[in-house]
Amino acid sequence: MIYFIKAIYSFLLPPGLFLLLLGAASWRMLRRDRRWAMLPLAALLLLYALSSPWAADGLARSLEQRYPQPALNETAGDVIVVLGAGAVPDTPDVGGLGNMSATAEARLLAAVRLSRSTGLPVLFSGGQVYPDSGNEADIAGRQLRELGLPPDRILLENRSLNTEQNAQLTRSLLDERGLSRPVLLTSALHLPRALEQFRKAGLEPLPYPVDHAAPVQPRWYWSKLLPSGAALALSQAALKEHLGLAALKLGL
């Protein structure tokens, strides 16, 4: 009964609802004008594929499995570089106002745990992207202190607006501090593109993927074929990373 209810919800809410509407439009146009029916039918198939957890996980794995998570000690690098992923400025948090996105929080928590096991300082990179978003590094700095990381092991870069600027401004800060062996910690989905941007900025960081979105070993069950908004969002994120990598290879 539980899985039947989940299936019903899948088609009552977007994107399943949109699939039903596109299916109805395709059927209607097939009966009236077959030539134009191909357009909504193609949109239907594409939307279904991207909103299927099976396909979304596959897209994510194509990026997330490129770099294994290495075993680290205090000699593997000299700083842990963490990249932001969005924040809001005025929502209540335990120690003040402002929260980072769930993705950014996952990265930050992994960085704290890694710092405690290696003794390496944490450099958080991310600024205020939009007028109504929070300054990621400033919020991260407060949370790092609340989590017990000593102030002398916290470095903040709070001006970057995208991954390219993350790399450029982080490079400048590392040069100022005499640091040259960064461990690049970010979501596994984001890591391939981030690594290319850091290499473009003249750095050769050690990749450290966290916050994986798809299981390493896929398992099939029928619910994997049901459309979901979460799967569509994951497909969109993976496609964005693939497009970004393609643009970097083309020199754009």
Side-chain angles (χ1 to χ4, degrees), residues 165-234:
Q165 291 185 9
N166 285 148
Q168 294 170 347
L169 296 175
T170 294
R171 168 68 190 271
S172 298
L173 187 54
L174 293 180
D175 288 345
E176 290 175 8
R177 299 299 181 103
L179 301 169
S180 60
R181 294 180 290 118
V183 176
L184 182 57
L185 186 151
T186 187
S187 300
L189 193 71
H190 180 233
L191 184 57
R193 182 167 64 92
L195 193 59
E196 290 302 315
Q197 290 286 13
F198 272 71
R199 287 170 175 165
K200 187 178 176 182
L203 294 168
E204 193 58 46
L206 177 66
Y208 198 93
V210 297
D211 185 40
H212 293 72
V216 175
Q217 298 295 332
R219 296 185 61 185
W220 189 90
Y221 44 93
W222 71 271
S223 295
K224 287 281 190 178
L225 300 178
L226 294 176
S228 79
L232 183 59
L234 180 57

Side-chain angles (χ1 to χ4, degrees), residues 65-215:
Q65 299 307 310
R66 295 190 184 189
Y67 298 100
Q69 191 179 87
L72 291 187
N73 54 41
E74 63 276 5
T75 64
D78 53 14
V79 62
I80 301 166
V81 175
V82 191
L83 305 185
V88 289
D90 52 3
T91 52
D93 191 18
V94 175
L97 290 179
N99 286 271
M100 292 188 297
S101 70
T103 296
E105 293 283 11
R107 298 174 186 178
L108 187 73
L109 181 58
V112 171
R113 294 162 62 197
L114 191 59
S115 176
R116 286 177 175 170
S117 67
T118 62
L120 296 177
V122 172
L123 189 160
F124 193 98
S125 175
Q128 181 177 351
V129 180
Y130 300 108
D132 60 348
S133 62
N135 189 293
E136 299 177 53
D138 291 349
I139 295 171
R142 170 173 56 80
Q143 293 185 347
L144 286 169
R145 292 188 294 270
E146 291 168 359
L147 288 168
L149 206 65
D152 61 352
R153 279 167 50 190
I154 299 173
L155 301 172
L156 303 176
E157 183 287 296
N158 63 2
R159 295 186 293 127
S160 55
L161 305 180
N162 58 18
T163 307
E164 181 179 15
Q165 291 185 9
N166 285 148
Q168 294 170 347
L169 296 175
T170 294
R171 168 68 190 271
S172 298
L173 187 54
L174 293 180
D175 288 345
E176 290 175 8
R177 299 299 181 103
L179 301 169
S180 60
R181 294 180 290 118
V183 176
L184 182 57
L185 186 151
T186 187
S187 300
L189 193 71
H190 180 233
L191 184 57
R193 182 167 64 92
L195 193 59
E196 290 302 315
Q197 290 286 13
F198 272 71
R199 287 170 175 165
K200 187 178 176 182
L203 294 168
E204 193 58 46
L206 177 66
Y208 198 93
V210 297
D211 185 40
H212 293 72

